[in-house]
Amino acid sequence: MIRRSTLLRSLLAASVLAAAGNAARADQLDDVRAARKVRVAIDLGSPPFGMNDSAMNPTGSDVETARLLARDLGVELEIVQTTGANRIPFLQTGKADLVISSLSVTAEREKVIDFSTPYAQIQSVVAAPKAAQIRGFADLAGKRVATARGTTNDRLVTEGV
């Protein structure tokens, strides 16, 4: 099994998540407080971090983090359901004020959004039958590996980082 600590979890930037090409807005926190609502993009298809319970209510650690943030800010929470592909576009287009979801810090992303200090991480893991004896990236040569296209895991497997 190969583990990489490259996917960072739940990156909060309550006061400054900038849209592409725009300067970070120091008054965004004031805007959230004035609206009395914070719109948080969360991937509800990523248990146990974000999901719906049996009554179809959002739950999971990302949801609880968002609830605590809203409570601490003294504002209402609006969960904006997101996917991996639209997390950053939702910030850029103003559909969300911030993201609490798996979001690796990369040089490309740092050009268009701001990140807070990560408080958790996800391990990237390659799982295979025991007989495969995968010890490193070289052992993956000639094998098919399934991962979500365009993700950090895709890059890791493709580049053998």
Side-chain angles (χ1 to χ4, degrees):
M1 214 169 1
I2 302 170
R3 292 184 180 193
R4 297 274 187 227
S5 300
T6 58
L7 296 181
L8 303 175
R9 294 282 311 140
S10 304
L11 304 172
L12 297 176
S15 61
V16 282
L17 278 174
N22 293 337
R25 291 184 37 218
D27 63 343
Q28 188 168 354
L29 181 57
D30 292 336
D31 293 347
V32 166
R33 287 188 170 137
R36 303 187 58 151
K37 174 173 46 174
V38 63
R39 296 166 303 148
V40 180
I42 300 175
D43 183 352
L44 295 177
S46 184
F49 311 108
M51 62 200 151
N52 287 307
D53 63 17
S54 61
M56 297 306 294
N57 294 313
T59 190
S61 61
D62 291 346
V63 174
E64 294 308 313
T65 300
R67 286 182 179 140
L68 289 171
L69 176 65
R71 186 187 75 194
D72 288 350
L73 292 174
V75 298
E76 174 189 345
L77 170 63
E78 178 183 328
I79 293 175
V80 179
Q81 190 166 344
T82 188
T83 64
N86 62 20
R87 296 168 301 188
I88 293 173
F90 276 17
L91 292 173
Q92 294 172 317
T93 60
K95 291 181 181 177
D97 298 310
L98 60 109
V99 171
I100 300 178
S101 185
S102 299
L103 189 58
S104 300
V105 178
T106 67
E108 296 82 20
R109 289 175 178 163
E110 286 183 309
K111 292 176 184 174
V112 295
I113 62 172
D114 290 329
F115 289 90
S116 71
T117 302
Y119 67 85
Q121 63 187 10
I122 296 175
Q123 301 289 321
S124 295
V125 178
V126 174
K130 201 172 199 172
Q133 297 188 3
I134 305 295
R135 303 271 185 252
F137 281 102
D139 296 329
L140 296 175
K143 295 183 175 51
R144 293 187 313 167
V145 178
T147 185
R149 187 173 302 219
T151 63
T152 303
N153 286 335
D154 182 16
R155 184 183 57 79
L156 288 170
V157 171
T158 302
E159 296 175 6
V161 181

